[in-house]
Amino acid sequence: MNTTIKSPKVYLIGAGPGNPELITVKAVKIIAQADVILCDRLVSPEILETYVNPNTEIIYVGKECSKNASTPQSHINTLMVEYALQNKAVVRLKGGDVSIFSNILDELQVLKQHRVPYEIIPGITAALGAAAFAGMPLTARGYSTSVRFLTYYKSEILSDDYWKELAVTNDTLVFYMSKGNLSALVEKLVQLEVSKDKKIAVIEQATTPYQKVYTSSFDDFKENFGNKNFASPSLVVIGKVVNLHEEFSWLNNAEQEGLYFKSVENGSLISNPQNFFEYAV
């Protein structure tokens, strides 16, 4: 199918979980024709190096809340509208999928308010990429009835009744943006007598050359990982499916240390000078 983009228009695109080969064909075609790209932090630098036209303007609008160094959402909204009203094709490029734990609603509302045409292009979200590269089918028969995508970046985000339900459910739980509160999360579920046949997995920098997977029982988590500072981004998987990792993992933990994604400082992105794209099993 021939994909020809139109302007003025904003394309909200998911770039996938890290591995540059996990971006969709449609996304690549649109990126190659864009006039302006507003790029998040968790986007592979190889995607920009490989698919973006040299004449395209790239504006980094990264967010890294743990460092209090984020581009204000209001500024991103303004850039989208201003460039579109200049009769340009604008790509709003986000890591993972654009609709999972992103500010897409704010962006859709402002585009609608200013009558700017838009299109949503889905991507592989971090949970699916991380689970696949860790050998953990999220809804494996006999291990899980369904999967929930959650976040726990502040304590009041989940009610007491919901915590009780999470402790007893057979669903696989995937927590985004929760590594900073991981010890509290684990302690809460232990207090609510979470089942002993469930385990915890923390997947650092999933699908990238720096991917590492750490697993533990609830009883041993504090001793094993209570004081560990996991690299960003890290995804947390809780459930019986974590037990499948040891048997079906096909990618060894990375031997090299480092950060794959760019870091945010003073509202801008600092490039990582080292790019590694060889995936050793």
Side-chain angles (χ1 to χ4, degrees), residues 22 138 198 255 276:
L22 294 180
L138 292 176
K198 296 179 183 177
E255 294 182 1
F276 298 91

Side-chain angles (χ1 to χ4, degrees), residues 49-259:
E49 294 165 5
T50 305
Y51 302 120
V52 175
N53 188 299
N55 296 320
T56 299
E57 182 176 1
I58 301 175
I59 302 172
Y60 294 104
V61 290
K63 296 184 178 183
E64 198 167 4
C65 295
S66 62
K67 290 187 175 182
N68 293 317
S70 298
T71 305
Q73 184 61 48
S74 59
H75 182 56
I76 298 172
N77 294 347
T78 298
L79 289 174
M80 285 193 306
V81 172
E82 285 186 351
Y83 279 108
L85 294 181
Q86 292 173 23
N87 203 40
K88 293 184 178 181
V90 181
V91 165
R92 175 70 177 102
L93 192 59
K94 299 169 178 271
D97 177 79
V98 289
S99 297
I100 303 295
F101 292 115
S102 79
N103 288 322
I104 191 173
L105 180 58
D106 292 339
E107 295 168 355
L108 291 173
Q109 288 172 335
V110 76
L111 293 173
K112 193 79 171 179
Q113 177 186 351
H114 291 274
R115 299 182 180 179
V116 175
Y118 59 85
E119 187 173 338
I120 301 173
I121 313 299
I124 296 174
T125 190
L128 303 185
F133 273 57
M136 288 186 290
L138 292 176
T139 58
R141 186 173 57 196
Y143 287 81
S144 174
T145 54
S146 61
V147 61
R148 306 190 198 189
F149 296 163
L150 305 152
T151 186
Y152 183 54
Y153 59 89
K154 55 183 179 180
S155 58
E156 62 269 24
I157 204 164
L158 300 174
S159 68
D160 289 343
D161 287 341
Y162 196 62
W163 275 114
K164 294 175 183 177
E165 207 273 320
L166 290 180
V168 299
T169 183
N170 286 322
D171 296 348
T172 301
L173 309 179
V174 181
F175 283 86
Y176 288 67
M177 302 177 292
S178 302
K179 73 182 185 71
N181 292 317
L182 184 53
S183 292
L185 190 162
V186 171
E187 183 178 348
K188 189 81 171 178
L189 292 175
V190 169
Q191 290 174 351
L192 294 170
E193 300 182 351
V194 65
S195 174
K196 298 293 184 181
D197 56 1
K198 296 179 183 177
K199 293 182 72 175
I200 307 157
V202 182
I203 307 171
E204 289 183 334
Q205 305 189 86
T207 79
T208 78
Y210 297 107
Q211 174 178 300
K212 293 184 180 180
V213 182
Y214 303 90
T215 64
S216 176
S217 67
F218 276 87
D219 289 340
D220 297 334
F221 182 85
K222 187 173 183 179
E223 178 181 351
N224 292 340
F225 303 120
N227 296 318
K228 182 171 176 57
N229 183 24
F230 294 100
S232 175
S234 287
L235 200 77
V236 180
V237 181
I238 294 175
K240 297 177 184 177
V241 300
V242 177
N243 292 287
L244 299 172
H245 166 68
E246 185 173 347
E247 182 177 359
F248 297 109
S249 176
W250 53 270
L251 182 67
N252 293 333
N253 273 355
E255 294 182 1
Q256 69 266 32
E257 300 291 334
L259 297 176

